[in-house]
Amino acid sequence: MTEPTVSVVIPVYNEEDGLAALFDRLYPALDALGKSYEVLFINDGSRDRSPALLAEQFHKRPDVTRVILFNGNFGQHRAILAGFEHARGQQIVTLDADLQNPPEDIKTLLDEMDKGHDYVGSIRRQRNDSVWRHVASRAMNRLREKLTRIKMTDQGCMLRAYSRRIIDTINMCNEMHTFIPALAYSFSQNPTEVVVGHEERFAGESKYSIYSLIRLNFDLMTGFSIVPLQMFSMLGMVISTLSGFLVLYLVGRRIVVGPEEGGLFTLFAIAFLLIGIALFGIGLLGEYIGRIYHEVRQRPRYLIAGILEKRTGE
């Protein structure tokens, strides 16, 4: 297999119902580019027939298809990192397997890269998601931008293009938990964004639960900023100052007015509020400590059971 110009990295997890449709749209779109390409499918421990379907597709198009098989489920971002480590192209595109991002829009991203951009993000033209997910995504986008100073209009869209230099830099990072688009943006010298289509999921259900989305945003914020810790430090100083004034006020009132029975429930409410803030701060600190814990163990990010690819000379 010669060195391709374009590498398309696609993580796959339990997508058997939609893979045939993906193949039917993806390969014609890439054939029309007029560039040499390869498609890297990373099977992230699927429990359905996805591995078999990927193997069949490899045998149909072995010249441009490679399949990486994990021996377990390690998550979408680690699957993409595995694809980055094995990609050979000068322009690397990430794409979800659920067809929510049209494969035909890959050309739009590559056209921007040909203009000199080393990172091309994407903005979904019309999101076909539920209302709660749309609102939550916009809120997290605003919070993330304020905390990390990383400007991404639509952080939830995986259809993105990266230059070889950025991918090589990402491959030098050994972080266990990260957010790839933000990491690439921090390495980029000339980033840009384009508008792409967004369709309803072709088949199956989203693999992202509310918990997964929360974890993803924790990885994003704690992995690229210590502002949350600094904010709680400032909040602690403010609360300590206000608490000092409250104590002085209560002592003065005790001297002037004398013992009082009222106000007990108000003090309980204030105490519960402060306890809640303290527990949240401890939890936030635990997130940072947990990241350190995962990093110092230096365990492999993923384990590969096998790779289907055409060897040079075959």
Side-chain angles (χ1 to χ4, degrees), residues 206-221:
S206 174
K207 308 304 184 299
Y208 274 101
S209 62
I210 296 179
Y211 174 77
S212 298
L213 293 173
I214 293 174
R215 290 298 318 151
L216 181 63
N217 282 284
F218 265 120
D219 285 342
L220 176 58
M221 293 181 188

Side-chain angles (χ1 to χ4, degrees), residues 17-276:
D17 294 333
L19 283 179
L22 174 65
F23 299 152
D24 291 341
R25 292 179 60 179
L26 175 64
Y27 285 88
L30 295 177
D31 290 335
L33 292 176
K35 298 182 178 182
S36 59
Y37 69 88
E38 66 174 358
V39 182
L40 281 82
F41 295 101
I42 301 91
N43 178 61
D44 188 23
S46 298
R47 296 187 297 272
D48 58 6
R49 295 185 59 251
S50 293
L53 296 176
L54 293 176
E56 291 177 7
Q57 182 62 26
F58 166 72
H59 291 297
K60 290 180 181 178
R61 297 290 302 271
D63 54 326
V64 294
T65 305
R66 301 166 67 196
V67 180
I68 299 174
L69 302 170
F70 281 179
N71 72 342
N73 178 242
F74 294 92
Q76 181 190 48
H77 281 263
R78 296 191 189 186
I80 292 174
L81 290 173
F84 284 174
E85 291 188 2
H86 290 82
R88 307 181 213 184
Q90 295 302 309
Q91 299 172 327
I92 293 86
V93 178
T94 55
L95 177 71
D96 282 335
D98 55 14
L99 282 178
Q100 285 194 295
N101 296 128
E104 295 79 9
D105 283 338
I106 292 176
K107 183 180 185 302
T108 304
L109 276 68
L110 296 180
D111 288 344
E112 288 298 314
M113 294 206 76
D114 292 338
K115 296 178 182 178
H117 298 288
D118 56 357
Y119 167 84
V120 183
S122 56
I123 306 169
R124 287 169 283 191
R125 182 179 296 110
Q126 181 180 358
R127 294 186 57 178
N128 292 302
D129 288 330
S130 59
V131 175
W132 77 265
R133 187 160 183 176
H134 183 69
V135 173
S137 179
R138 292 186 62 182
M140 292 309 301
N141 280 349
R142 294 195 191 98
L143 181 60
R144 179 260 311 148
E145 184 172 335
K146 290 182 178 180
L147 294 180
T148 66
R149 304 300 179 186
I150 295 175
K151 296 182 180 180
M152 290 186 297
T153 305
D154 189 353
Q155 72 180 41
C157 188
M158 191 53 66
L159 180 58
R160 300 176 186 271
Y162 311 87
S163 69
R164 180 78 256 173
R165 181 188 64 83
I166 290 180
I167 295 301
D168 290 340
T169 307
I170 291 176
N171 288 338
M172 289 189 293
C173 301
N174 295 314
E175 301 173 48
M176 293 292 292
H177 301 280
T178 190
F179 187 68
I180 295 172
L183 188 63
Y185 185 93
S186 65
F187 296 144
S188 175
Q189 296 176 345
N190 188 20
T192 188
E193 293 182 326
V194 297
V195 177
V196 298
H198 188 244
E199 304 173 1
E200 293 185 5
R201 187 180 178 86
F202 182 81
E205 299 179 353
S206 174
K207 308 304 184 299
Y208 274 101
S209 62
I210 296 179
Y211 174 77
S212 298
L213 293 173
I214 293 174
R215 290 298 318 151
L216 181 63
N217 282 284
F218 265 120
D219 285 342
L220 176 58
M221 293 181 188
T222 60
F224 294 90
S225 175
I226 60 170
V227 171
L229 288 179
Q230 294 171 338
M231 289 175 60
F232 263 91
S233 296
M234 296 298 296
L235 180 62
M237 288 187 286
V238 171
I239 291 177
S240 297
T241 301
L242 294 177
S243 299
F245 284 125
L246 178 61
V247 170
L248 292 176
Y249 169 76
L250 292 177
V251 170
R253 188 177 179 85
R254 174 83 176 215
I255 294 173
V256 175
V257 180
E260 296 179 288
E261 295 181 0
L264 181 62
F265 291 105
T266 301
L267 291 178
F268 273 135
I270 294 174
F272 290 148
L273 173 63
L274 297 179
I275 291 172

